Amino acid sequence: CIAVVTGCTDPTAFNYNAFANTDDGSCTVVYTGCTDPTATNYDPGANTDDGSCIAIGNTYGGGIIFWLDGNGGGLIAAPYDQGAAQWGCYDIFVNGTSTGIGTGSQNTNAIVNANCSPTINAAGICANLTLGGFNDWFLPSRDELQQMYLNIGQGSPLGNIAGLSNNYYWSSSQFVAKDAYSPQLGNNCFSCWRAKYDQKLIRAVRAF
């Protein structure tokens, strides 16, 4: 005697039952996509997550998403620090840097193109970085660092998933000729600045 075991007998189906010997019409075709309803690219028809979800805190594009622009793009933080270095260009005013979100890349280019000492500086380290298969990293602006802190750092409801230090980080935003903004992320001091010759931590970011 062979007992009747009903279920999905299609091995290509999402809910295939290897023990079933009688198909009950319940087979569901596998449809991959983003199954996280909080993600910007959520697919309500997907029944199998393919790891493509774009949401704050998710691993994507070589790092961790920490800001979304509402139009399908955003900013990604490198998964770890890139060491420490000087901001460079001490007592030289570098034209073209700003503090806002979306300015980190142009700030970095302005610093690199200024060609001032030391040649190995925070902006240059980020500009020359290849990580996760990407080479378009840059030194974040002051406000971009703030969003990193608030969304995946010490101020995040997700916890400090970026592993940010409590110490000072260089931003690509200049303050005056001798100083640049260097937020102390563990102390919520986003308008802090330090002398450009100081050695401060670096965390590269990239846009997508």
Side-chain angles (χ1 to χ4, degrees), residues 50-122:
D50 62 0
S52 67
C53 292
I54 298 174
I56 289 175
N58 283 11
T59 299
Y60 182 80
I64 306 168
I65 298 172
F66 70 91
W67 182 78
L68 297 171
D69 63 10
N71 296 309
L75 294 171
I76 297 166
Y80 49 82
D81 292 342
Q82 279 63 62
Q86 295 184 35
W87 199 90
C89 301
Y90 181 73
D91 209 16
I92 297 173
F93 190 84
V94 178
N95 292 315
T97 77
S98 302
T99 58
I101 296 173
T103 63
S105 181
Q106 68 187 38
N107 293 349
T108 299
N109 290 335
I111 299 165
V112 170
N113 292 335
N115 292 317
C116 41
S117 63
T119 54
I120 299 176
N121 55 40

Side-chain angles (χ1 to χ4, degrees), residues 8-195:
C8 174
T9 60
D10 182 353
T12 66
F14 173 69
N15 59 330
Y16 168 60
N17 184 348
F19 299 103
N21 54 32
T22 303
D23 196 275
D24 61 0
S26 66
C27 293
T28 304
V29 176
V30 173
Y31 180 34
T32 60
C34 174
T35 60
D36 181 354
T38 67
T40 60
N41 60 331
Y42 169 59
D43 186 345
N47 53 35
T48 302
D49 196 275
D50 62 0
S52 67
C53 292
I54 298 174
I56 289 175
N58 283 11
T59 299
Y60 182 80
I64 306 168
I65 298 172
F66 70 91
W67 182 78
L68 297 171
D69 63 10
N71 296 309
L75 294 171
I76 297 166
Y80 49 82
D81 292 342
Q82 279 63 62
Q86 295 184 35
W87 199 90
C89 301
Y90 181 73
D91 209 16
I92 297 173
F93 190 84
V94 178
N95 292 315
T97 77
S98 302
T99 58
I101 296 173
T103 63
S105 181
Q106 68 187 38
N107 293 349
T108 299
N109 290 335
I111 299 165
V112 170
N113 292 335
N115 292 317
C116 41
S117 63
T119 54
I120 299 176
N121 55 40
I125 288 172
C126 294
N128 291 310
L129 179 66
T130 297
L131 179 65
F134 298 91
N135 60 4
D136 56 350
W137 299 92
F138 54 87
L139 187 65
S141 70
R142 184 195 67 184
D143 294 353
E144 289 167 348
L145 270 174
Q146 181 176 11
Q147 289 300 305
M148 193 188 303
Y149 167 88
L150 293 173
N151 293 329
I152 61 171
Q154 296 92 329
S156 170
L158 301 175
N160 187 12
I161 59 176
L164 295 172
S165 168
N166 287 328
N167 294 319
Y168 293 90
Y169 281 81
W170 277 130
S171 80
S172 56
S173 304
Q174 185 174 230
F175 182 59
V176 292
K178 293 183 178 181
D179 305 311
Y181 285 107
S182 181
Q184 186 182 15
L185 299 187
N187 196 32
N188 207 25
C189 183
F190 302 111
S191 294
C192 290
W193 64 84
R194 288 294 180 268

